[in-house]
Amino acid sequence: MKELILVKYGEIALKGLNKNTFEDIMVKNIKRRLKKLGRFNFSRAQSTLYIEPADETADINGAVEKIKKVFGVAALCRACTCEKNFEDICAKSIEYLEDVLPYAKTFKVTAKRADKAFPMKSPEICMELGGVLLEKFPNLQVDVKNPEITVTVEIRDTNAFVHAENIKGAGGLPVGSSGSAMLLLSGGIDSPVAGYMMAKRGIHISAIHYVSPPYTSERARLKVETLCEKITDYCGNISFFCVPFTELQEAIKEHCPEEFFTIIMRRLMMEIAQRISEREGCLALITGESVGQVASQTMAAIACTDAVCRIPVFRPLIGMDKTEIIEISRKIDTFETSTLPYEDCCTVFTPRHPKVRPQLADVEKAQNSFDFEPLICKAVENTELKVFRCDG
Ligand code: ATP
Ligand code: MG
C-alpha cells in the first residue's frame, strides 16, 4: 500500500496570477525542511501538493511534523493511493483505516470528485463505501453531523486517495514571499513570538541580538541562540547578528541622565539594527513590544524610539496581553527556554525611576550630550554573524 502526504494551500490559492510564485516558494521551503528525512517525490495538481516517499529511507512521520510548521500550508493529510476504480477504493479503505475504524463509534464518508469522468458521482461513492465499511466494521454507526471519523475519498486526475484525518497547517504565507526584515531578538518571551508572527505573513527573518559582557553572560547569549534555532522550524534559515553593546551602555551610563538610560539604549539599538538592515536588504524592523508592558513601551516612549527609525517598525504584539503572548510561545515551543533565568542588556544599568512619558526634545538633548557615532560604528563593525538552519 502506498502512503503519501497531501498538502493543501491556504491564502496562496487566492493569489490569482501570482499563485505560482507563492507556490514555488512554499515548495522550496518544504523541500529544504525535508532534506535530511530521506528521498521524496513532489508533484502538484489542483491546488494540492503531493509528497510521496521515493523509497524506504523516507521518514513520513518526521515529514508530517516538519510540514505542519511551514507557512502557506492550510492543511495536510496522510493518504493512501488507490487505483481509480471503486473496488480498489473499498479494499484500500478497509486496509488503510484498520487502525482507526474498529475503535470508533461513528463515522461518515465524504467524496470529492475532481475528475468528473469517474463513473460514480460523489453521493453514490459516499453511500456505497459507507455501506461497505458498515458491513466490515459492525461497531460503526453513521453520523453525518458530528462523526468521530470522516473518511474522505478524493478522485483526482491520476489516482484516487483515501484519508481519515485532516491536520491543521500553520496557515499564513510562505516565508520569503514578502521580503526580509530584522527581528530584535532578546531572551524574553515576546520577541520570538513577534518573529513567528511576522514570518507567518511571509517575511523572511534575520535576527539581531545585543550583548553586554561581562554584565551579560555567555549563557544568556546561548539561550538566545537556542531560541533562534527553535524558531527556524517556522521561520526558515535565520542569519543571527550578535552586537557587542557594552561600550555603548557604559557611555550612556557615564554621559546621560539616569532617567533616560533605557530610552537612549533603545534608540541606539534601533540605529544599529537599521544599519545592518540596510546592508542585508531588510526592509523593516520587528520588536516584541506591547503598549504599556514596561516603561519603555508607553506610547510616549515608543514615539521617542521611532523618531530614530528610517524604516518601518513592525510590532505584531502591540495590542496583545501577556497571557495571549504566552499561549503562542507555548505553541511554538519557545516558552520553556524564554523563562530560563538570564540577564539581558536591558536589565543592565536599569534606571530606578525611568521616565514613563519622555519628551522627544529632552531625550534628544540628553543623547546629544555625547557623540555616540564612533561607538555605533565600532559595534556594527564587530558584529558577529552565525546562521541557524531549518534543515537540522
Ligand atoms: P522580550 O520578552 O522580547 O524580551 P520584554 O517585554 O522583555 O520583551 P524589553 O526588554 O523592553 O521587553 O524589550 C522590548 C523589545 O526590544 C524586545 O521584544 C526585543 O524586540 C527588543 N530587545 C530587548 N532586548 C534586546 C536584546 N538584548 N537584543 C535584541 N533585542 C532586544
Ligand atoms: Mg526583554
Side-chain angles (χ1 to χ4, degrees), residues 184-186 188-191 209-210 266 288 293 297 344-346:
L184 280 80
L185 182 64
S186 69
I189 295 170
D190 305 331
S191 43
H209 177 64
Y210 305 83
R266 300 204 52 76
Q293 205 186 71
Q297 296 175 27
D344 183 72
C345 63
C346 288

Side-chain angles (χ1 to χ4, degrees), residues 172-278:
L173 294 173
V175 166
S177 62
S178 303
S180 301
M182 183 68 76
L183 167 68
L184 280 80
L185 182 64
S186 69
I189 295 170
D190 305 331
S191 43
V193 172
Y196 158 84
M197 286 178 69
M198 295 322 297
K200 186 172 186 168
R201 296 314 300 161
I203 292 181
H204 174 260
I205 305 280
S206 293
I208 188 165
H209 177 64
Y210 305 83
V211 291
S212 293
Y215 307 104
T216 62
S217 64
E218 183 62 16
R219 209 183 46 154
R221 171 188 170 151
L222 287 176
K223 174 187 167 177
V224 180
E225 292 190 2
T226 304
L227 286 171
C228 193
E229 169 120 59
K230 274 180 176 279
I231 59 173
T232 59
D233 271 354
Y234 291 96
C235 302
N237 296 345
I238 300 179
S239 298
F240 175 84
F241 297 91
C242 192
V243 184
F245 206 53
T246 315
E247 288 184 339
L248 281 155
Q249 283 200 280
E250 285 175 341
I252 298 172
K253 181 168 191 278
E254 194 166 329
H255 302 284
C256 304
E258 182 178 331
E259 59 185 359
F260 293 126
F261 280 2
T262 311
I263 198 79
I264 293 173
M265 179 192 73
R266 300 204 52 76
R267 284 159 58 93
L268 295 175
M269 282 182 171
M270 293 306 216
E271 182 56 45
I272 291 170
Q274 290 182 99
R275 294 195 189 183
I276 295 178
S277 293
E278 278 152 19

